Amino acid sequence: MTTSPWSQQRYLSAWRFAAEAHLNQTLPASALPYLVHLASVAMEVMTACAVEKLDEPDLAIQCALLHDTIEDTVIDAVTLESRFGLAVTAGVKTLSKNPSLPKASAMQDSLERIRQQPREIWVVKLADRITNLGSPPAHWSTEKIEYYRQEAKDILSALGEASPFLAERLVQRIRDYPPPQS
Ligand code: NI
């Protein structure tokens, strides 16, 4: 019998948990639900899992679905750990910016902490930035867009080795950013 490379049940419980946690949140400057972002990040991660055979696809996929719960919702690490265990919680904590740091050093701090985590967590960060390099919100200045592109290059050089497949995809997104208005 063929077995699935990841657990459908674990996907569904993380998806459901994220849907409740992010209820009523939307994408920046959009009417679309925030879940659109999470589904896109999870899709990138699942594709990487299928292509590159990560050791722990469940860890990567659950962290993809839950990666913004601590940073952007009322969910705390204790709650997350009781539902999803230590490895997922450590991953999500690492993917959350330290709010007490200034913006410029928060990204560097986050990348250093991610590099101490399993490769699965690096893959989520790559997938997150690939997803976020779609059309920037209309109110962003040219400087802000350029800063965001530079940040993406920093993510690529810090974490790209975890997934040649996603690294290549991120290279393309950086090259084409910002994409032409659709
Ligand atoms: Ni995100």
Side-chain angles (χ1 to χ4, degrees), residues 34 37-38 41 67-68 72 128-129 132:
Y34 195 76
H37 171 68
L38 301 177
V41 176
H67 76 272
D68 282 325
D72 292 340
D128 186 40
R129 187 51 64 109
N132 285 340

